[in-house]
Amino acid sequence: MTKTALLLIGHGTDDPDGLAEYHQLASLVQERLDCSVQPCFLELADPPIGQALDECARAGYRRIIALPLLLGAAGHQKNDIPVALQQARLRWPDVTIHYGAPLGVQYALLKALADRLHEAEAAVPPVPRAETALALIGRGSSDPDSNADVARMARLLWEGRGYAHVMYGFYSITTPRVPETIKACVALGARRIIVIPYLLFSGRILQRIRSQVNDARSRYPDHDFVVTEHLGLHEGVIAAIQQRFQEATEGYAAVNCDVCKYRRLFPGYTADFGRPQTSDHEHGLRGETANNGMKTILPPRYRGGRPVSAAPMSAAPLVFDETGQVAWDRIWGGDDPSNPFCELALAGGPPHRGTLLEPVDPETIRVDPEGYARVIAELRRALTMVTDLPVTTDVAPGWIGLICESEEMAIWLLRAIIVENVSVRREDRTLLLPAGPQFRLDGEIKNVVTAVAKTYHYWKEHIQR
């Protein structure tokens, strides 16, 4: 039987009480699942994700279930953790890593909140629920999808329980903040306001929420304020983790991408639309060495520091056919010994571009649809010529899709193209590459085609073999 480990990925804290609570929860989960649980953290605490996963692999675990111990789907879940897991897949190709969904909106968590609410009410003198408002306070995120989950949970908690009102708010990043939420409850005429911290663990955020409620007590002396306990070690939290573990183990873990700001255009979030997955050395890449990722994507003969040419492919001039169009399939390779594919940037030289070629703002496409159509048509022609792979334009604005032969191929090409400083996203077997109306034939268009031509050749001639 394949040895399985659960990688329990917490956000991380420097608060000793919150850290102790996290480790206690990990122990309870291990008892419940009868499975080895490896705790790790995005930031502020050790071990980082990559180090914890390496320890699991060295211990002989060949299947790892990576669960984000997060209440909502936001940047950490969508960017930092996937980048860390992909780095680990490159280091441990014989280890299967399943990525689970965040805890999200689950009945088990709803019941845990309801229990915390009832416990708090039972500890104070009674006030009619018709004169009571609930204020559910989340951590706060720059992702509308995650913030919407707080609103949804607030409504579910209120339904059928007879309270006069329900409001939701956030500790930071977005609005309404705690003081605004309390002010709204007061304005609605609530005699009692029950503040419910929608947090997994104790720590500084919980302490500051309580402090803000104390300030409200001074500001509104005629109103009664109650603060419930956070989720903590409630049975519902363990049940929610168990549910996500089972989904990932059985291969049907899923998240809702219909309202993801990276896939759908939201007012106020246009800069995030189509943004590729990235992380940094304070989160998903914490503990990773700068060159480790590069070495793992190179053919074995280059990993020992074998010297290669540093000449970039961009040095090759455009070649035109008899009709005046660029002959993309004749620019690189062939019999020209001065311009081989295999002795270029992917094998240790500089990246193709000095700066990252990023996706364009959708507004630039809207104002120049004819220019955008010309660029898309040229990219489609060029990518077909240098790869023989199907190309699709039925994707998000600002991107063109290259359909790979397998998901394995798509993952490898994605990692290699990023090294060339060209943005790229992946949806199953399809790689999404940037396109914009202002892309120049000998500039951005050539950048995209060059990176794809080089990495496709590498895959076919070295990695696949």
Side-chain angles (χ1 to χ4, degrees), residues 29 36 143 158 261:
V29 170
S36 176
D143 194 306
W158 176 84
K261 69 175 182 176

Side-chain angles (χ1 to χ4, degrees), residues 88-297:
R89 289 187 180 102
L90 294 170
R91 291 195 298 274
W92 303 96
D94 58 336
V95 175
T96 300
I97 302 173
H98 298 284
Y99 188 27
L103 298 183
V105 178
Q106 292 192 57
Y107 178 77
L109 291 179
L110 178 63
K111 188 177 185 308
L113 287 176
D115 286 351
R116 296 303 190 213
L117 174 59
H118 298 157
E119 291 165 5
E121 278 191 304
V124 295
V127 169
R129 287 189 174 184
E131 300 177 16
T132 300
L134 306 180
L136 185 69
I137 305 299
R139 169 65 175 84
S141 168
S142 60
D143 194 306
D145 188 10
S146 180
N147 294 330
D149 277 354
V150 178
R152 185 181 177 199
M153 189 65 88
R155 181 71 193 195
L156 290 170
L157 183 63
W158 176 84
E159 288 282 354
R161 290 188 168 86
Y163 295 98
H165 310 287
V166 64
M167 303 295 291
Y168 64 89
F170 305 93
Y171 167 72
S172 67
I173 301 178
T174 190
T175 58
R177 301 289 177 87
V178 177
E180 299 169 71
T181 307
I182 292 175
K183 182 179 180 180
C185 292
V186 170
L188 288 170
R191 176 180 163 193
R192 168 175 281 171
I193 299 165
I194 303 180
V195 177
I196 308 162
Y198 190 33
L199 304 171
L200 283 172
F201 303 112
S202 61
R204 289 178 173 79
I205 293 177
L206 180 61
Q207 295 165 11
R208 289 164 185 163
I209 290 174
R210 287 174 174 161
S211 176
Q212 289 173 316
V213 175
N214 285 333
D215 291 342
R217 288 191 175 102
S218 301
R219 192 175 301 112
Y220 308 106
D222 296 333
H223 293 74
D224 183 50
F225 291 90
V226 176
V227 182
T228 74
E229 290 296 318
H230 60 291
L231 289 168
L233 303 178
H234 191 282
E235 165 64 26
V237 176
I238 300 172
I241 294 172
Q242 186 175 13
Q243 173 70 21
R244 293 296 186 241
F245 176 81
Q246 181 179 352
E247 292 169 354
T249 301
E250 296 177 0
Y252 59 87
V255 293
N256 182 10
C257 295
D258 292 340
V259 289
C260 175
K261 69 175 182 176
Y262 299 106
R263 292 171 179 254
R264 299 290 184 260
L265 190 59
F266 283 85
Y269 297 92
T270 55
D272 294 314
F273 180 66
R275 179 175 291 177
Q277 282 179 325
T278 57
S279 188
D280 53 52
H281 284 81
E282 294 181 358
H283 296 94
L285 297 177
R286 194 162 61 99
E288 302 281 355
T289 59
N291 295 322
N292 189 50
M294 171 68 80
K295 289 181 180 180
T296 56
I297 67 173

